[in-house]
Amino acid sequence: MNLFDTHAHIGLIHDDPIEQLIVTKEAKQADVKYIISICNNIKDFATVYDNLALADNVLYAVGISPAEVDNLPSNWEEQIVTGSAKNKVVAIGETGLDYYRKFGNKNAQIELFRKQLTLAEKLNKPVIIHNREAGEDIYNILKTNIPSKGAVLHCYSEDWAYAKKMLDLNVMFSFAGNLTYKNARNLHETVRNLPEERILLETEAPFMIPAVYRGKRNKPAYLKETMKFLAAFLDRDTEELADIIYGNSLRFFNISE
């Protein structure tokens, strides 16, 4: 079985570079062939990138989340462009909108989001989208600004009605460990109805731990539990469905094997 963790904050799992490498090795032993290490913030991107240089199963995304809207360095766009030129950077992100935490103000968040969508188009990369209670604005912005390489709604949290609208756009839907929670009915309905070719999986490590590991910190090695849950929920063969989702990931992030 080949698995692809499309979203993990490896720099937040451990500070120590050796422990970060151990996390990636554990993932490989658990059939996770690739991990996308998400930029925790623009200031530490280079550090985490350098720490994981020896991890051949780690790819990268570089971007600025809505949490940083009040603390943007003056040359943040230049930093993203420079970061995206590094080997193994496959996406821009995470970026998006977060109205739950109320970072900055809505207009500042929207401007930051739009600028990164423009950068993603310029750099010919897909974009990884954070959405917290901002679904309508994200949909309306993507209708006219989605990069040609597409977008992924990471750690999907909306309902099936929202997903149906998004299906008209070049959008993928990524599910994390919260898919395994009994009360996640909106996610269950969504994943049951989505075309399989639009589904990705992630850990969102160290957050969103699968139910079976509740009480622990999440890590990429735990992705298999989400995969097993999804296959059982859809009454599908685990290996067969894993192959489909792995292929989706390779295709979306433009990775050739």
Side-chain angles (χ1 to χ4, degrees):
M1 182 189 306
N2 286 326
L3 301 174
F4 196 129
D5 184 355
T6 62
H7 197 108
H9 297 273
I10 297 178
L12 298 180
I13 301 172
H14 294 291
D15 293 327
D16 182 78
I18 300 300
E19 291 180 313
Q20 290 176 11
L21 282 172
I22 290 171
V23 163
T24 68
K25 290 179 180 178
E26 289 176 343
K28 189 179 291 188
Q29 292 166 356
D31 297 326
V32 180
K33 189 165 183 182
Y34 291 109
I35 306 163
I36 295 183
S37 179
I38 304 300
C39 185
N40 306 316
N41 60 64
I42 199 68
K43 298 181 185 69
D44 76 356
F45 171 74
T47 300
V48 176
Y49 184 98
D50 290 343
N51 288 351
L52 298 171
L54 298 178
D56 60 1
N57 59 331
V58 176
L59 305 168
Y60 303 87
V62 57
I64 298 185
S65 78
E68 297 180 80
V69 71
D70 283 336
N71 298 289
L72 290 174
S74 59
N75 65 338
W76 67 267
E77 293 181 73
E78 179 184 337
Q79 290 188 50
I80 290 179
V81 172
T82 301
S84 72
K86 288 179 177 286
N87 184 35
K88 300 201 295 183
V89 173
V90 297
I92 302 303
E94 65 184 279
T95 181
L97 302 175
D98 192 321
Y99 297 163
Y100 176 77
R101 296 289 185 187
K102 297 180 174 60
F103 300 116
N105 61 65
K106 286 186 179 182
N107 289 337
Q109 284 197 36
I110 288 171
E111 181 181 9
L112 177 62
F113 181 37
R114 286 183 181 275
K115 285 184 175 179
Q116 288 183 87
L117 293 174
T118 299
L119 275 177
E121 179 64 25
K122 176 182 176 181
L123 299 169
N124 202 32
K125 305 283 186 187
V127 65
I128 298 172
I129 294 179
H130 172 103
N131 169 23
R132 193 92 186 266
E133 298 186 3
E136 278 307 302
D137 280 353
I138 285 176
Y139 173 69
N140 289 328
I141 290 168
L142 289 182
K143 278 195 301 185
T144 55
N145 292 271
I146 190 167
S148 56
K149 291 296 183 181
V152 55
L153 299 174
H154 109 83
C155 196
Y156 188 77
S157 60
E158 299 278 355
D159 58 14
W160 169 233
Y162 185 79
K164 280 195 290 187
K165 292 196 306 182
M166 280 290 187
L167 281 171
D168 292 334
L169 306 178
N170 183 15
V171 166
M172 302 293 283
F173 303 80
S174 182
F175 296 88
N178 56 338
L179 180 68
T180 68
Y181 302 168
K182 290 181 180 180
N183 63 351
R185 296 181 183 88
N186 60 325
L187 304 185
H188 298 162
E189 181 185 17
T190 301
V191 82
R192 181 187 291 115
N193 287 286
L194 277 175
E196 290 176 354
E197 66 270 16
R198 304 290 283 273
I199 296 173
L200 304 178
L201 290 182
E202 64 177 272
T203 56
E204 172 72 318
F207 315 109
M208 293 297 175
I209 189 82
V212 70
Y213 294 117
R214 277 280 179 88
K216 298 182 178 181
R217 299 192 82 199
N218 203 3
K219 55 185 179 180
Y222 294 160
L223 184 66
K224 185 177 285 189
E225 289 302 322
T226 305
M227 182 68 250
K228 287 162 58 178
F229 173 89
L230 178 59
F233 179 76
L234 296 178
D235 194 24
R236 292 292 307 277
D237 177 79
T238 303
E239 296 271 353
E240 180 182 334
L241 186 59
D243 284 346
I244 290 171
I245 295 175
Y246 180 74
N248 294 346
S249 307
L250 295 178
R251 183 174 64 254
F252 179 75
F253 291 106
N254 194 32
I255 298 162
S256 58
E257 292 192 308

